[in-house]
Amino acid sequence: MIQAVANVKQCNNLGQAATDLRNAAKQRNGLVTRLGKLSVDKLPANAELTAALTKAWQASAAADNNYAAWADQVGGRKGCQKGHARITGQTQAGNRESGTASAQKVRAAALWNTIAQKYGLTQRQPTQL
């Protein structure tokens, strides 16, 4: 979704960027639903891991939806000047949610990597979550 946000910033292919962002938000919300159905009670720190992943994906979905709304806003008259989208409240909300998502992904990755190391599983970077 980094490319879709970059496209909005540069006023490139705004309609497709908005669609891509909304689809990503749906996928992230789907991950939250699937996580809620998993039995993870045998994992150490499972409540903390589940909470961090849930918060991360919910914040990512919110950011994606805010950025999609931003694309809709700047697609009108005077929304783009010299190849740059104007900053709006949707931009700022997306940035805040993105920051929350990043922080929670760092937390989740640290929790997961402790578990992964103990059980010989694949470790993950925050950006992989």
Side-chain angles (χ1 to χ4, degrees), residues 8 14-15 17-18 21-22 66-76 90:
V8 177
L14 293 171
L21 287 159
R22 286 187 177 100
N66 282 307
Y67 290 138
W70 178 36
D72 294 340
Q73 286 179 328
V74 298
Q90 295 292 341

Short mmCIF file of all heavy atoms in Angstrom, two decimals, residues 8 14-15 17-18 21-22 66-76 90:
data_model
loop_
_atom_site.label_atom_id
_atom_site.label_comp_id
_atom_site.label_asym_id
_atom_site.label_seq_id
_atom_site.Cartn_x
_atom_site.Cartn_y
_atom_site.Cartn_z
N VAL A 8 -1.13 8.74 -4.42
CA VAL A 8 -2.01 9.83 -3.98
C VAL A 8 -1.19 11.09 -3.76
O VAL A 8 -1.56 12.17 -4.23
CB VAL A 8 -2.79 9.45 -2.69
CG1 VAL A 8 -3.64 10.62 -2.22
CG2 VAL A 8 -3.65 8.22 -2.92
N LEU A 14 -5.37 8.32 -9.14
CA LEU A 14 -6.07 8.45 -7.86
C LEU A 14 -7.19 7.44 -7.67
O LEU A 14 -7.36 6.89 -6.58
CB LEU A 14 -6.60 9.87 -7.69
CG LEU A 14 -5.53 10.96 -7.56
CD1 LEU A 14 -6.16 12.34 -7.61
CD2 LEU A 14 -4.74 10.77 -6.29
N GLY A 15 -7.96 7.17 -8.71
CA GLY A 15 -9.06 6.22 -8.60
C GLY A 15 -8.57 4.83 -8.26
O GLY A 15 -9.13 4.15 -7.39
N ALA A 17 -5.66 4.08 -6.91
CA ALA A 17 -5.03 4.12 -5.59
C ALA A 17 -6.10 3.99 -4.50
O ALA A 17 -5.93 3.23 -3.53
CB ALA A 17 -4.25 5.42 -5.41
N ALA A 18 -7.21 4.70 -4.65
CA ALA A 18 -8.29 4.62 -3.67
C ALA A 18 -8.86 3.21 -3.61
O ALA A 18 -9.10 2.67 -2.51
CB ALA A 18 -9.38 5.63 -4.00
N LEU A 21 -6.37 0.90 -1.87
CA LEU A 21 -6.35 1.14 -0.42
C LEU A 21 -7.57 0.56 0.27
O LEU A 21 -7.46 -0.04 1.35
CB LEU A 21 -6.22 2.65 -0.16
CG LEU A 21 -4.84 3.22 -0.47
CD1 LEU A 21 -4.90 4.72 -0.68
CD2 LEU A 21 -3.85 2.84 0.63
N ARG A 22 -8.72 0.72 -0.33
CA ARG A 22 -9.94 0.15 0.27
C ARG A 22 -9.89 -1.38 0.29
O ARG A 22 -10.33 -2.02 1.25
CB ARG A 22 -11.17 0.67 -0.46
CG ARG A 22 -11.47 2.11 -0.11
CD ARG A 22 -12.79 2.63 -0.68
NE ARG A 22 -13.00 3.98 -0.24
CZ ARG A 22 -12.76 5.08 -0.97
NH1 ARG A 22 -12.33 4.95 -2.22
NH2 ARG A 22 -12.97 6.27 -0.46
N ASN A 66 -8.56 6.07 5.40
CA ASN A 66 -8.33 7.52 5.42
C ASN A 66 -7.57 7.97 4.17
O ASN A 66 -7.90 8.99 3.57
CB ASN A 66 -7.56 7.93 6.68
CG ASN A 66 -8.45 7.99 7.89
OD1 ASN A 66 -9.49 8.64 7.89
ND2 ASN A 66 -8.06 7.30 8.94
N TYR A 67 -6.54 7.22 3.79
CA TYR A 67 -5.79 7.57 2.59
C TYR A 67 -6.66 7.45 1.33
O TYR A 67 -6.52 8.25 0.40
CB TYR A 67 -4.53 6.73 2.46
CG TYR A 67 -3.46 7.04 3.49
CD1 TYR A 67 -2.75 6.02 4.10
CD2 TYR A 67 -3.14 8.35 3.83
CE1 TYR A 67 -1.75 6.30 5.02
CE2 TYR A 67 -2.15 8.64 4.76
CZ TYR A 67 -1.45 7.61 5.36
OH TYR A 67 -0.47 7.88 6.27
N ALA A 68 -7.55 6.47 1.30
CA ALA A 68 -8.47 6.34 0.16
C ALA A 68 -9.39 7.55 0.10
O ALA A 68 -9.65 8.09 -0.99
CB ALA A 68 -9.28 5.06 0.28
N ALA A 69 -9.89 7.99 1.24
CA ALA A 69 -10.74 9.18 1.28
C ALA A 69 -9.96 10.42 0.85
O ALA A 69 -10.50 11.31 0.19
CB ALA A 69 -11.32 9.37 2.69
N TRP A 70 -8.69 10.46 1.19
CA TRP A 70 -7.82 11.56 0.76
C TRP A 70 -7.72 11.56 -0.76
O TRP A 70 -7.82 12.62 -1.39
CB TRP A 70 -6.45 11.39 1.41
CG TRP A 70 -5.40 12.40 1.05
CD1 TRP A 70 -5.58 13.74 0.81
CD2 TRP A 70 -4.01 12.16 0.91
NE1 TRP A 70 -4.37 14.33 0.54
CE2 TRP A 70 -3.39 13.38 0.60
CE3 TRP A 70 -3.22 11.02 1.04
CZ2 TRP A 70 -2.01 13.50 0.41
CZ3 TRP A 70 -1.85 11.14 0.85
CH2 TRP A 70 -1.25 12.36 0.53
N ALA A 71 -7.54 10.37 -1.36
CA ALA A 71 -7.48 10.29 -2.82
C ALA A 71 -8.76 10.82 -3.44
O ALA A 71 -8.73 11.54 -4.44
CB ALA A 71 -7.24 8.84 -3.26
N ASP A 72 -9.90 10.48 -2.83
CA ASP A 72 -11.18 11.00 -3.32
C ASP A 72 -11.22 12.52 -3.23
O ASP A 72 -11.71 13.19 -4.15
CB ASP A 72 -12.35 10.42 -2.51
CG ASP A 72 -12.51 8.92 -2.69
OD1 ASP A 72 -12.02 8.36 -3.69
OD2 ASP A 72 -13.13 8.30 -1.80
N GLN A 73 -10.73 13.07 -2.14
CA GLN A 73 -10.76 14.52 -1.92
C GLN A 73 -9.92 15.28 -2.94
O GLN A 73 -10.35 16.29 -3.47
CB GLN A 73 -10.26 14.88 -0.52
CG GLN A 73 -11.21 14.57 0.59
CD GLN A 73 -10.62 14.93 1.94
OE1 GLN A 73 -9.41 14.85 2.16
NE2 GLN A 73 -11.49 15.35 2.86
N VAL A 74 -8.71 14.80 -3.15
CA VAL A 74 -7.81 15.56 -4.02
C VAL A 74 -8.09 15.33 -5.49
O VAL A 74 -7.53 16.03 -6.34
CB VAL A 74 -6.31 15.29 -3.69
CG1 VAL A 74 -6.00 15.72 -2.28
CG2 VAL A 74 -5.92 13.86 -3.95
N GLY A 75 -8.95 14.38 -5.80
CA GLY A 75 -9.31 14.12 -7.18
C GLY A 75 -10.16 15.21 -7.79
O GLY A 75 -10.30 15.30 -9.00
N GLY A 76 -10.71 16.09 -6.96
CA GLY A 76 -11.53 17.18 -7.46
C GLY A 76 -10.69 18.38 -7.86
O GLY A 76 -9.47 18.32 -7.94
N GLN A 90 -8.01 14.02 6.24
CA GLN A 90 -7.89 12.58 5.95
C GLN A 90 -6.42 12.16 5.91
O GLN A 90 -6.07 11.08 6.39
CB GLN A 90 -8.58 12.24 4.63
CG GLN A 90 -10.07 12.45 4.64
CD GLN A 90 -10.80 11.49 5.55
OE1 GLN A 90 -10.29 10.45 5.93
NE2 GLN A 90 -12.01 11.85 5.93
#
